[in-house]
Structures are given as C-alpha cells and as structure tokens.
Amino acid sequence: RERRINFIYRLNKKMTYDKEAVYLAFPFAGEKPQFRYEIGGGSVRPNEDHWPGGCRDWFSVQRWVTVKTETAAVAWSPLDTPLITLCDMSPGKWYDELPVTNGTIFAYIMNNYWCTNYKAGQDGDFTFRYSLTSDADMSPAAASLFGEDVQAPMRAIRLFAKRDQQTLPSSMSFCEVEPANVMTTTVKPADDGDGIIL
C-alpha cells in the first residue's frame, strides 16, 4: 500500500493573443512552512541556498518539491510542468528574498508573455499530472525516492520460460541496494551482451 494522491488536470483552452499565464495552485496549510526543491544533482532551500541576485520568482524543479511545517510535511511531484512559483503568483517582482508567507506551490503551466522565440498563444487540449505524499517529516532522500517513483516507475515485465516445472519462488527480489539513500535508476543489458549494468 502506498500513501500517494495523483492529480490529473485536463484543460481545453481557446487561443488568445492577449498576455496571459495559467497556474495551478496547490495550497498546503501549516505553520512556518519551509520549502526545498530538487535540482540536477542536489536540492535547494529558497533563500538559504541561493546566491545573492538569484531568481526567486520562478524555480525549475527536477522531480520534487517538499513543504515542511511544524506538524507535517508533503512531497509534491510535477510530471509535466517543471516551472513553479512559491507562496504567490509572483512573476517579475525580482525579490532579493522570497517572502515565505504560506505553503502554496503554483505550477506554472503556460504563458505567452515573451515577445520573441515563443509561441504567441496556446490552444487545444492539455493534460497536466501531479502526485503527492505526506508524512510527519520528509527528508530529501525520501522525497527523491518518491519523485523517482512518480517520474520513472519501475516496469514489470513478465517472461514465460519454457520449463516443465517451476523451480523459482513465486516472488523474489532481483537485487537489493544498500544503504537506503542510494537509488537504482537504470538496469540494462551490457552493450557487449555479457552481464547487466545497474
């Protein structure tokens, strides 16, 4: 049993050339929220881990964002929209420090603000997917496991062996990885055909 909620938003949008943006809000309640989000090769806490002058209006997310309050924590994973804002739909304010006033994550799903090298408007049918889980606390390692499972779930492939009798147990693990903060992200046959690469 897995503690997980999946959200699927379907949008049918008409074309407009007026300036617009579309956000989906995920408001998480709790006192003194603290955010952390995954980037390539690590995770970042807004304000604490940003260089002076770094952008605090939009954040590019790999697989997860966590919101931790005094009583609980949430890990949120966007499958289709990696750009977010936090606490407020705040584009273009160029904060020196992000005012963390609430635990809301805004998925920034589309806009037509830009004048060049950008589509003048969006129209059609769109699907946006998100997943979340919660716990009393949410470490970056736990959020990474959740985000990896959401973004690239393990695939099960059934093979039918031509054997007269079953000699293997009905279920077993192909491999185990230790310690718990190490993740297997790829399993593939070796290019030379001799073995398996993990």
Side-chain angles (χ1 to χ4, degrees), residues 1-185:
R1 188 172 78 171
E2 182 179 29
R3 182 187 300 142
R4 175 172 162 181
I5 300 172
N6 297 319
F7 296 88
I8 300 174
Y9 292 92
R10 290 186 175 86
L11 172 65
N12 178 276
K13 186 177 171 307
K14 293 181 180 178
M15 173 65 78
T16 181
Y17 296 111
D18 295 336
K19 295 298 180 193
E20 67 173 359
V22 180
Y23 293 84
L24 291 174
F26 293 83
F28 300 109
E31 297 296 319
K32 300 180 182 177
Q34 299 172 346
F35 293 98
R36 183 183 287 270
Y37 64 96
E38 185 187 39
I39 60 172
S43 65
V44 175
R45 296 167 301 165
N47 296 328
E48 291 91 344
D49 298 327
H50 285 162
W51 288 98
C55 181
R56 288 163 173 84
D57 293 78
W58 300 277
F59 303 98
S60 181
V61 174
Q62 289 287 321
R63 297 173 299 181
W64 56 266
V65 179
T66 59
V67 185
K68 183 181 184 319
T69 68
E70 291 183 328
T71 57
V74 170
W76 175 86
S77 183
L79 278 85
D80 304 301
T81 59
L83 200 58
I84 64 167
T85 64
L86 299 173
C87 303
D88 185 7
M89 292 181 289
S90 57
K93 293 181 182 173
W94 307 114
Y95 292 122
D96 289 327
E97 183 161 321
L98 176 70
V100 179
T101 57
N102 62 69
T104 303
I105 300 170
F106 289 93
Y108 192 24
I109 64 175
M110 64 177 68
N111 77 73
N112 65 349
Y113 290 157
W114 316 115
C115 299
T116 60
N117 300 328
Y118 208 81
K119 189 175 179 183
Q122 293 92 18
D123 66 322
D125 294 314
F126 300 92
T127 300
F128 305 103
R129 300 166 296 159
Y130 306 89
S131 292
L132 67 91
T133 190
S134 64
D135 211 331
D137 195 13
M138 191 67 62
S139 69
S144 292
L145 287 171
F146 174 73
E148 180 68 24
D149 186 50
V150 169
Q151 302 282 333
M154 183 71 78
R155 295 182 189 159
I157 300 172
R158 184 173 178 183
L159 301 175
F160 296 93
K162 295 184 177 178
R163 297 183 181 181
D164 293 335
Q165 64 186 61
Q166 179 75 25
T167 57
L168 296 174
S170 60
S171 67
M172 61 187 293
S173 177
F174 172 71
C175 70
E176 293 183 17
V177 178
E178 293 181 352
N181 64 340
V182 174
M183 294 186 345
T184 301
T185 58

